Amino acid sequence: MTDLDSYKQQLKEFYGNRTTYDHEKDTRHPLDAKILLEFVPLDSGQKILDVATGTGLLAIAAAEKVGSDGSVIGIDMTPGMLHQARLKIAAAKLQNIELIEADAEYFNFSDRSFDVVFCCEAIVLFPDILATLQKWYRFLKSGGFVAFTCPPETAFMASFQQSICAKVLGVSLPHILEPLGTPEKCHDLLNQAGFRDIEIKIEPSGRYRPLRNNGLSWTAININFKGNPLLSTLSQEQLNQLQFEYQTEIEKRATAQGIWEDTTKLFVRARK
């Protein structure tokens, strides 16, 4: 199994185990989906693609907006999340949503199939973001929108995690939030993919995380650094050192309320 295969498998397991995704404590998932949906003008009869649809938070609301003359396809590689989406779709009695269980990186649709391509919360997970945007560009009709959310590179203690890994490994690994981590980087990648009329809205937010279970799990390391091959060279001694350094720094940053975590989000849209 390659490191990339391992990365994808860990993504499936990580999200597949989150059976309360829609209602997690301090979650922003429903709010982010709502804001992203409202960021794009939808009309009755349109065809929508929701990439990494998860539990259908955005897809279901989009299906209601485009009506029975429109349609929504949600694609996701996580069976557990799609099961939750199907239950909600059945409860809402919606007939205009199709769910596809597949790895969106390799799944293709015909060119110019959709009016809008959404991706809420997941674009940073793709191994090659530029190639992903170029593929979405092909899927869109002329004048169609792409819209996604991504955290800035300062969010979720990313720079802190990066510095700890660099201290242990002796080399800095690219973090998952880096490629789209600033408005300028979003503009650059969208321009390279051919998009125009780029708009970015920044929604600041943050929270205190309780000081418990403050280790950095192997799954978190692997996902945050996209299965970087150097991770597979870490010895048990280095892994132990990484945990020690991480926990030490976490405890230094702790307050009576917990650890402050930046959860700011960028909402991005552009046109073909």
Side-chain angles (χ1 to χ4, degrees):
M1 184 178 279
T2 67
D3 292 315
L4 190 55
D5 287 337
S6 173
Y7 165 67
K8 290 281 186 75
Q9 190 58 41
Q10 287 191 313
L11 282 178
K12 285 181 74 169
E13 290 171 8
F14 177 70
Y15 286 100
N17 290 332
R18 293 169 72 176
T19 55
T20 58
Y21 183 82
D22 293 6
H23 311 289
E24 289 172 353
K25 189 181 179 188
D26 300 326
T27 185
R28 279 184 52 99
H29 314 311
L31 176 61
D32 287 348
K34 182 175 183 291
I35 293 171
L36 187 63
L37 188 68
E38 290 171 352
F39 200 26
V40 178
L42 294 189
D43 294 317
S44 176
Q46 287 186 317
K47 298 188 183 305
I48 311 297
L49 174 62
D50 185 28
V51 179
T53 193
T55 63
L57 281 168
L58 189 143
I60 290 169
E64 290 167 343
K65 281 202 166 192
V66 300
S68 56
D69 291 333
S71 63
V72 176
I73 293 178
I75 183 168
D76 200 289
M77 66 178 183
T78 312
M81 287 210 154
L82 289 177
H83 174 68
Q84 294 178 60
R86 289 189 179 98
L87 293 175
K88 292 193 290 186
I89 290 165
K93 296 183 169 57
L94 290 168
Q95 303 293 321
N96 60 341
I97 301 184
E98 177 188 357
L99 297 180
I100 298 172
E101 183 184 328
D103 184 342
E105 185 184 8
Y106 301 113
F107 199 90
N108 279 300
F109 297 95
S110 300
D111 291 358
R112 298 177 293 280
S113 293
F114 299 99
D115 297 286
V116 184
V117 175
F118 285 110
C119 185
C120 189
E121 309 290 285
I123 190 171
V124 297
L125 300 172
F126 283 87
D128 188 336
I129 292 173
L130 177 58
T132 296
L133 287 170
Q134 289 168 333
K135 178 179 277 195
W136 295 351
Y137 184 90
R138 293 201 315 273
F139 295 165
L140 281 170
K141 299 174 184 177
S142 180
F145 283 98
V146 65
F148 59 84
T149 65
C150 58
E153 58 193 8
T154 53
F156 299 106
M157 298 191 288
S159 56
F160 166 49
Q161 293 169 6
Q162 197 170 26
S163 67
I164 294 294
C165 281
K167 187 173 182 180
V168 173
L169 273 172
V171 60
S172 183
L173 301 183
H175 194 277
I176 196 169
L177 300 189
E178 281 186 43
L180 291 167
T182 66
E184 293 74 22
K185 288 179 178 179
C186 291
H187 267 277
D188 184 50
L189 280 177
L190 284 162
N191 277 324
Q192 286 183 61
F195 287 98
R196 60 187 173 90
D197 299 342
I198 300 163
E199 290 188 45
I200 299 173
K201 181 167 61 173
I202 302 173
E203 291 278 344
S205 68
R207 64 189 175 205
Y208 281 100
R209 202 177 71 188
L211 186 62
R212 64 170 184 268
N213 302 325
N214 57 320
L216 190 59
S217 71
W218 174 246
T219 298
I221 295 168
N222 205 44
I223 290 175
N224 288 344
F225 296 98
K226 288 189 180 177
N228 191 293
L230 280 176
L231 294 174
S232 62
T233 68
L234 283 170
S235 66
Q236 188 59 51
E237 185 180 353
Q238 285 175 307
L239 284 169
N240 292 341
Q241 185 194 352
L242 192 148
Q243 290 296 349
F244 174 77
E245 299 281 359
Y246 186 81
Q247 288 172 353
T248 300
E249 288 300 319
I250 282 282
E251 284 162 14
K252 283 182 188 174
R253 288 166 162 75
T255 69
Q257 295 163 286
I259 306 292
W260 177 254
E261 190 171 59
D262 179 12
T263 58
T264 295
K265 203 66 60 74
L266 306 180
F267 290 80
V268 183
R269 78 174 191 192
R271 297 188 77 176
K272 178 172 179 178

